[in-house]
Every structure is written in structure tokens, then in C-alpha cells.
Amino acid sequence: MADAAQRLQGLFTQLLGAPPPVRVRAWDGSQAGPPGAPTLVVRNRRALRRLLWKPGELGLARAWVAGDLDIEGDLYTTLDLLAGDIWERGEDARTLAQALRDPEVRSAIRGLVRLAGTPLPPAPPPEEARSPRRHLHTKRSDRRAISHHYDVGNDFYEIVLGPSMVYSCAYWDSPDSTLEQAQHDKLELVRRKLGLSPGQRLLDVGCGWGSMAIHAAREHGVSVVGVTLSQEQAAYARKRVAEEGLTDRIEIRVQDYRDVRDGPYDAISSIGMAEHVGADRYLEYADGLYDLLKPGGRLLNHQIARRPQRDETTYEVDAFIDSYVFPGGELQPVGVTVSLLERAGFEVRDVESIREHYALTLRQWVTRLEADWKRAAQLTGPGRARVWRLYMAACAVAFERNRIGVNQVLAVRAPESGESGMPLRARTWN
């Protein structure tokens, strides 16, 4: 008798303490749950075994990446509905231990074990990165982490990012703007904040596929050094630079930011790179950039931030992001970032939150990926394509709900005279 969905619905209700907010369709064709709600498709019993061996987010992620789980209906709505029950609960061991004291929870787990069949744990999908227990952010480990994320094929990133090849938050006049225009406006915003002008020297830390470097050199006559740890990014960026005829103004290096020694620079842009630095290394990062700037030079630090916790010692890196997207990536509250930049000697002049802009950007990237799904899956493998779809859609919801944010922090290495060189009305960015 086909009743797996009804059994799952009841077991999930016991585990969560409330009925799941989505419908469930099981491998035997049975369905259960609120009519009209998005549907969580459990394709096989292996999905349950993944959840039993890794309760919470990582088990769900493994099932999704492997294709054992799927969603029918609006992906964003489903992720938003599930967030409170699953993603925001985390995998805190004390919470799990407390839950296991509940006889109903223990009964539900026994029911899942019986329904899951063979008790052996399935192997993680091959897309999962091996992550150390503690992220030391050595040059070697950072290089390996960057390669995991970025060296998956430039053709794949062209599908997702579009012609701009900018992998960071765009800057939107309105939701009706094009992605290409919004990314151009973001690069120009960075240029204006840094006060770049012909003949100046810019260091672009984490230069990606070279878009900021090309914008500054081609449109504003700036000389640029761009550094990245990704071999594929560097090769792509150098090709673009050559095609633009800008090899005399732009140098792209495969180099760790800690190894840059040829300062001083007039300005430094760090756009979507600092999330890779790590909390324990952040002051070292800030000190290094400070030393590379000339007195009066400006830093534009564009960085994703998390909400602060009442007890910061309980913060844990997101399991799915750490295992499948950004190994070793760490987020910190914007206040911590500002404090560490100031400790390094910077004068922080402006902080602009552009949280809503990232939600719009991510939705555009997801739309592009879905529109060319077959080719994307062929280029990078279906599992990794599923990683990117889930990651970008979940992040879009997180930005929309103010669970995470993104900020541009403008800072100056003020000279001893105290003359910052900033306009009196800073937001004009003259």
C-alpha cells in the first residue's frame, strides 16, 4: 500500500513539533500535506538515510545535491517556509540532545529508521569538499578553497553571471534594470567612492574575471594590478584584458594578497573577497591592505555580513556553504569589520548597506541558470549545478529576510596631517 508520504508527514510532525509547511511526495507515489503548498519530493529511501546520519542542514543538502530530494513549486517560497523549521535551527548538539529526551522524538526517529531501510550511511556526493575541523586559512588551504569554488569552468560562470562576469552584488536603479547595467553601475559606484582618476594605481584584491580592473582602466585611465588565487579566473581575465588592448595598464596575477609587496597604491578595491579571509586572519588582512596604501589612499571593502549573535561563541559556519560552496568562508557582523579596519589604522568614512540589491542579483543569477539548465549541468555536472541553484536561491531569501546583509565600507589611510582628501559631502563621491 502506498503510504510512505503519510508516514513521513507524521514522523516529521513528531520531530518538528508541528506539521511541515510543505507537501510531501514519496517514492511510492503517495502524497500528504497542505493542499496547494509547494511539494518536497522524496525520490528514494536513501534521502532518509542521509537525514538520519546527518540530521539538519547537511543531510538535506547531501540529499538535494545527489538528487534524492527535489522541490516542485516555487523554490524561493519553499526555502522560506522551511527556513524556520530546518535552516535556522542549525545542528547544535545540545539542541539535538534535548530533543532526543522526548519520547515522541525518539519514537519518530525509530519510525524513520524502519522506513529508511538499510542502515548503512550513503557516501557524500562527490561535490562535497573535505573541510578541516578548524579553518586556519593558510595560503595553501585558501588556494585549495578558492579552486573548489571558482575553478569549475568559466563557461559555467558565463551562463550564471552573463556578459559582465561580475560575481558580487550588483547596484540597481530599479528591479526592471538589466543585470549588465546594474553590474556596470556597481563598478562605477566603487570607482566613484575610491575617487579614481587617470594615472592612479589601483590594487584589486580578489579580482575575479577582471571586470573591475577593465572598468577602471578602460573608462578612467587607471593602472591596475589584479590578484586572484584561481588559475581559471586569471587566464580568463588576461584574455579579456588582451582583447580590450589594455595589457599596458592591467596586470593580472595568481597571487595571495599576503604576498603583494609592490605598494604603495592610490586605492584598493576588495569586492566580495574578504569573506574568504577568516575571522582569525582578518586583522592581518586589514593590516596588509593598510600597508599597501599611500597616505590618503582609500580602501573600498565590499563584504557580506551576518547578523550578530547574543553569544558570539556559539557561531558556527553554515554547514552547506562550508561543504559545498565556500570551504572555509566565514561571515562576521559589519560592526566587527569596521572595528578591525579601525584597529589596523584606517579611518572608516562611510558604510552603505546594499542588502536588497544582492537579493535582486541572486534572483537574476538563478533565472539565468534555470534558463540554460541542461547546458550548465553538462558543463559542471548535475550535482554541482544543483549546489549553485540551491545556494543562490537560499541566499536570495536570506538577504530578503535580513538574515544576512552586504555592505560597502569606505576607509582611508589618513596622513599624519589628518587631511583625508574626502569631499565635505561624501555621498556625492566627487
Side-chain angles (χ1 to χ4, degrees), residues 187-203:
L187 297 177
E188 181 59 17
L189 176 69
V190 172
R191 196 281 308 174
R192 292 200 308 272
K193 288 183 176 182
L194 289 174
L196 296 177
S197 58
Q200 288 191 320
R201 193 164 180 246
L202 169 69
L203 173 64

Side-chain angles (χ1 to χ4, degrees), residues 135 314-323 326-331:
H135 298 299
T314 65
Y315 169 67
E316 294 183 358
V317 175
D318 181 277
F320 168 58
I321 300 292
D322 194 43
S323 298
F326 290 110
E330 297 178 62
L331 303 183

